[in-house]
Each structure stands twice: as structure tokens, then as C-alpha cells.
Amino acid sequence: MSTGLIELDEATLVARARDRDPAAFELLVRRYQRRIYTLCLRMLNGATGDAEDVAQETFVTAWRRLPELQHDAAFSSWLYRTATNRCLTLLQRRKPTTDLDEDELGLTTDDDPARAAGNSAAMRALSAALRRLPAQQRACWLLREVHGRSYQEIAELVGTTPTAVRGRIARARAELAEVMEPWR
């Protein structure tokens, strides 16, 4: 891959990828693959195989449907919406039972065994609490708290209003805060 291509801004890369430049699309995948996979992993309660499949399907869909994208700057939101919708569809079809894997989430280990044990217990509690959240609440909370998306963008991603997103996030925060109280 040429150095010049790496230095291009996202809108230019999207335009080139839409014109079927595989190198430009590959760079877009590299920029977003970790974020999309992490979103999928957390939405799907740590089911690594499902998260890998959904992330891959998201990028395959992006390649196929990229010519339909009207605004090059909307690529990021479009990618997140595609991944979120695929995760929600998968969750509606069945209930996952896998815990989040701390290593998969990129959490660092601590040299203090007591602290590491506490962190591990807290992660298990958070995983369990996230699993109990309704899928729409979990999606909104993850998109806001983990991926830093705005309320407006989340509303567009999950097909609702910013007010509904705020409500879902507030309920998710309240439930998670209650479960996580022992680790404060």
C-alpha cells in the first residue's frame, strides 16, 4: 500500500473505495476493524465467533453497498449502523450466554494480585449486568459510553429519537450503577 494513500482523509478514501479501489477500502477496514469488532463483541456479550462474523459481514456489506452511500463523510456512521443492526438482529434471534473475555476487551493486567482479582470480579459483574440489559439499551449505552457517539448519531444508528436514546442510556446507567455499587 502506498504511503500517499495512508495520508488521505477519510472522505477521499471513501470516494476512492466507492470507485472500487481495493487499496482504499482495505485502509478503511484497517481503520475501523478493531472498533467495529469491539462494538460487536460487547453487544453480543463476548461471543467472539459471532462478533467476528458480524464484523466481517459488516465490511462485506460495506464493500457491496458503498456505491449507494450518498455522502462520503457519513461512512463511519453508516458502518456503525450496519454493525449495530446486525448485532440487534442476531440478539433477537437467540439469547447469548457467553461472558465478556477480559483479554478480548484489551484490559491490562495488574501486578497487584488483590487488585487484579477485584478487577476480574468487577468485569464479571459488569458482563452479567450488560447481558441483562435489553438489547436496545445495551446498544445505546455501548455506543455512547464506549464508542463516544452523540445522542443524535445513536438515534440515527438505532432508528429512534435522541430523547428515546437519552432515556435508554439513563436506564442502563442506573441499572449498571446499582450492580457496580460494591466496586466503587
Side-chain angles (χ1 to χ4, degrees), residues 76-105:
S76 171
S77 295
W78 182 58
L79 203 58
Y80 273 91
R81 182 175 44 252
T82 301
T84 300
N85 288 340
R86 287 186 180 278
C87 287
L88 290 172
T89 298
L90 186 61
L91 287 169
Q92 288 172 354
R93 280 193 247 147
R94 61 172 173 62
K95 287 185 84 170
T97 58
T98 312
D99 280 339
L100 290 174
D101 182 351
E102 297 164 32
D103 294 330
E104 300 271 341
L105 293 174

Side-chain angles (χ1 to χ4, degrees), residues 5 12 17 36 39 46 55 61 64 74-75 90 103 114-115 134 139 142 144 151 153 175 180-181:
L5 193 61
T12 303
I36 294 298
L39 172 67
T61 298
R64 287 183 184 146
F75 179 76
L90 186 61
D103 294 330
R115 178 178 271 178
L142 287 167
R144 178 69 182 171
Y151 292 110
E153 187 175 6
E175 288 183 43
M180 299 309 293
E181 182 63 31

Side-chain angles (χ1 to χ4, degrees), residues 31-52:
R31 285 185 183 180
Y32 284 99
Q33 68 186 359
R34 179 95 175 140
R35 288 182 262 182
I36 294 298
Y37 172 74
T38 301
L39 172 67
C40 294
L41 183 67
R42 290 178 176 163
M43 282 189 67
L44 298 171
N45 296 317
T48 57
D50 289 340
E52 290 168 357

Side-chain angles (χ1 to χ4, degrees), residues 1-140:
M1 187 173 304
S2 74
T3 307
L5 193 61
I6 293 172
E7 296 170 1
L8 293 176
D9 66 17
E10 183 168 302
T12 303
L13 284 172
V14 171
R16 290 181 68 166
R18 191 176 50 243
D19 289 338
R20 300 325 228 186
D21 178 347
F25 187 73
E26 178 184 351
L27 190 53
L28 288 168
V29 170
R30 287 181 186 200
R31 285 185 183 180
Y32 284 99
Q33 68 186 359
R34 179 95 175 140
R35 288 182 262 182
I36 294 298
Y37 172 74
T38 301
L39 172 67
C40 294
L41 183 67
R42 290 178 176 163
M43 282 189 67
L44 298 171
N45 296 317
T48 57
D50 289 340
E52 290 168 357
D53 290 346
V54 171
Q56 182 176 0
E57 290 171 15
T58 298
F59 288 110
V60 169
T61 298
W63 176 252
R64 287 183 184 146
R65 300 191 65 199
L66 200 53
E68 300 170 23
L69 185 63
Q70 299 298 317
H71 304 286
D72 297 338
F75 179 76
S76 171
S77 295
W78 182 58
L79 203 58
Y80 273 91
R81 182 175 44 252
T82 301
T84 300
N85 288 340
R86 287 186 180 278
C87 287
L88 290 172
T89 298
L90 186 61
L91 287 169
Q92 288 172 354
R93 280 193 247 147
R94 61 172 173 62
K95 287 185 84 170
T97 58
T98 312
D99 280 339
L100 290 174
D101 182 351
E102 297 164 32
D103 294 330
E104 300 271 341
L105 293 174
L107 297 177
T108 59
T109 58
D110 198 320
D111 290 336
D112 178 5
R115 178 178 271 178
N119 288 344
S120 181
M123 260 319 285
R124 284 192 302 276
L126 179 60
S127 294
L130 282 171
R131 264 197 324 276
R132 286 192 297 271
L133 291 177
Q136 290 284 336
Q137 272 185 23
R138 184 172 50 247
C140 291

Side-chain angles (χ1 to χ4, degrees), residues 141-175:
W141 185 86
L142 287 167
L143 287 165
R144 178 69 182 171
E145 301 298 338
V146 177
H147 295 276
R149 298 298 175 167
S150 71
Y151 292 110
Q152 181 64 41
E153 187 175 6
I154 296 167
E156 292 168 8
L157 291 172
V158 299
T160 191
T161 66
T163 303
V165 167
R166 286 181 194 278
R168 289 174 184 167
I169 292 171
R171 286 188 296 278
R173 285 176 179 159
E175 288 183 43

